[in-house]
Amino acid sequence: MKARVHVMLKDGVLDPQGEAVRHALGSLGFDGVAGVRQGKVIELELAEGTTEATVGEMCEKLLANTVIESYRIELL
């Protein structure tokens, strides 16, 4: 079984990397981009029987900084 964890900065948290990407896109002529939020995707290959709750615990303890980031778990 596999899981994909999507980690994003919470709304209201400044995203300097996203702003740098937005600026770079504008410099390349892509003027239609008003904002960019950058995140990360973590793919886990899980042992049989690993639950979504266990993946959530992994996120809470290591994979996401829950003070400034939110996450979404996708079981594959």
Side-chain angles (χ1 to χ4, degrees):
M1 182 168 86
K2 292 185 180 184
R4 186 174 292 142
V5 179
H6 301 264
V7 181
M8 295 291 295
L9 289 172
K10 291 181 177 179
D11 289 339
V13 176
L14 295 177
D15 186 353
Q17 289 179 315
E19 185 58 25
V21 170
R22 187 200 62 74
H23 179 72
L25 288 170
S27 295
L28 293 170
F30 298 104
D31 297 323
V33 179
V36 175
R37 301 289 288 174
Q38 185 170 329
K40 58 188 171 190
V41 175
I42 303 165
E43 290 194 1
L44 303 169
E45 192 156 335
L46 304 170
E48 192 65 36
T50 304
T51 65
E52 185 172 353
T54 300
V55 177
E57 191 175 342
M58 292 175 192
C59 293
E60 294 287 328
K61 291 185 175 183
L62 177 67
L63 301 178
N65 177 350
T66 56
V67 173
I68 61 171
E69 295 174 321
S70 60
Y71 62 89
R72 179 174 53 88
I73 299 167
E74 179 183 2
L75 298 178
L76 307 172

